[in-house]
Amino acid sequence: MPELQLLPHSTFPADPQWQALHELVDLVAERQRLDFGQISSTQKPDGSLVTACDQWSDATLEAGLAKIFPGDGLLSEEGSTVVPHELNYWVVDPLDGTTNFSVGLPIWAISMARFSAGVPVAAILDVPPLRQRFVAVKGKGVWRDGVPLSSPGGPRHGCSCASLCTRSLKVLSSLNRPFPAKTRMLGVASLNLLGVGLGTMVAALEATPKVWDIAAAWLMLQELQCPLQSLAGPAFPLIAGAAEAETSYPILTACNQEQLERFMPWALALK
């Protein structure tokens, strides 16, 4: 298969393969918007929530990717959680932020990343309630709704906010000095991380994300030159055959190296 040439949503490539991919995400995003506020959740064995919309979205993405990219493997939160043996495969979270979605908080995302030889090479993060789509291609950059994004560089508008997840809140009281930012928590790991790349957060700390939570955002942060620190050894390349359901990837990211070092003591307090 030729090198991936995924382009922004507003500028479909001539290759119908990529147009079909965006149309597939459009289909899933629209169904999620229709189901929002109309559907209840159940609890999975690990304590996380799942809805019929999660399951429909996963099945639809699996079938669509198999048709558009025959030969690619798939690792998905709601499907097979074992790293495929194929050279090229997709890592998918069909609905990142199920708790928000199920209780009526309008912030969630569809997270998809294409991997080659164990590392992400292209990604889509779609935010259905905002009707925004982020696209990244390794070595080519990141786009929001077809508009190229630039590196955040540092805090914007004089605001100093950092994103935490539920399980990282404990670090706020772990050191004998104030946390160096206001805190925000979206409840959507992929968007918590992406906020750093967008310049809305100076840093983000995720304590127990799974690979499908970070795959797309990881590539986008790399392309936006935001430093990332995996806190439990290298995150990538993934190893074919590895079971990912119980594996977490604690991560700290920041808008620049200075801010990464500033927040590192709190990241290390997770251990």
Side-chain angles (χ1 to χ4, degrees):
M1 185 173 293
E3 179 186 355
L4 184 103
Q5 296 293 329
L6 181 61
L7 295 181
H9 187 216
S10 63
T11 54
F12 286 145
D15 187 345
Q17 184 180 45
W18 301 112
Q19 181 174 349
L21 177 62
H22 280 294
E23 290 173 350
L24 174 64
V25 180
D26 287 342
L27 173 67
V28 174
E30 181 59 24
R31 169 63 181 267
Q32 291 181 359
R33 284 190 290 267
L34 291 172
D35 280 355
F36 177 63
Q38 309 295 323
I39 198 165
S40 60
S41 64
T42 58
Q43 194 172 63
K44 296 191 288 187
D46 65 359
S48 62
L49 299 181
V50 65
T51 70
C53 189
D54 289 77
Q55 295 164 335
W56 179 90
S57 299
D58 184 74
T60 301
L61 290 171
E62 179 179 8
L65 289 171
K67 182 177 180 180
I68 300 167
F69 298 96
D72 278 17
L74 178 68
L75 187 163
S76 171
E77 179 181 14
E78 305 303 337
S80 173
T81 57
V82 174
V83 178
H85 287 271
E86 290 87 349
L87 174 66
N88 299 313
Y89 55 86
W90 292 83
V91 175
V92 174
D93 189 340
L95 202 163
D96 185 14
T98 297
T99 298
N100 287 356
F101 180 83
S102 63
V103 302
L105 292 174
I107 182 71
W108 73 88
I110 301 166
S111 177
M112 305 170 60
R114 194 185 196 225
F115 278 58
S116 185
V119 299
V121 295
I124 291 179
L125 261 176
D126 189 270
V127 191
L130 298 181
R131 297 181 183 271
Q132 288 187 352
R133 184 166 301 167
F134 299 87
V135 172
V137 178
K138 187 175 178 63
K140 298 183 183 296
V142 183
W143 298 264
R144 175 170 50 196
D145 297 331
V147 178
L149 297 179
S150 58
S151 175
R156 294 181 179 175
H157 313 301
C159 180
S160 181
C161 293
S163 173
L164 300 176
C165 69
T166 303
R167 294 179 180 87
S168 63
L169 287 174
K170 63 182 181 181
V171 305
L172 295 177
S173 59
S174 62
L175 302 180
N176 293 322
R177 59 184 187 270
F179 190 70
K182 297 179 180 179
T183 57
R184 296 293 183 269
M185 184 170 59
L186 298 179
V188 186
S190 58
L191 299 183
N192 282 344
L193 295 169
L194 182 60
V196 176
L198 300 179
T200 57
M201 304 288 172
V202 294
L205 179 60
E206 289 284 326
T208 59
K210 305 302 184 186
V211 67
W212 45 79
D213 295 317
I214 69 170
W218 183 283
L219 178 61
M220 293 179 183
L221 289 165
Q222 283 187 322
E223 289 298 309
L224 292 170
Q225 300 178 4
C226 296
L228 301 113
Q229 181 66 54
S230 177
L231 303 171
F236 305 120
L238 296 181
I239 305 301
E244 294 292 331
E246 303 300 325
T247 303
S248 295
Y249 293 85
I251 181 176
L252 172 68
T253 185
C255 57
N256 56 42
Q257 189 63 34
E258 178 185 359
Q259 293 291 343
L260 189 82
E261 294 171 0
R262 183 181 177 210
F263 284 88
M264 186 59 70
W266 282 270
L268 295 177
L270 284 176
K271 299 181 179 180

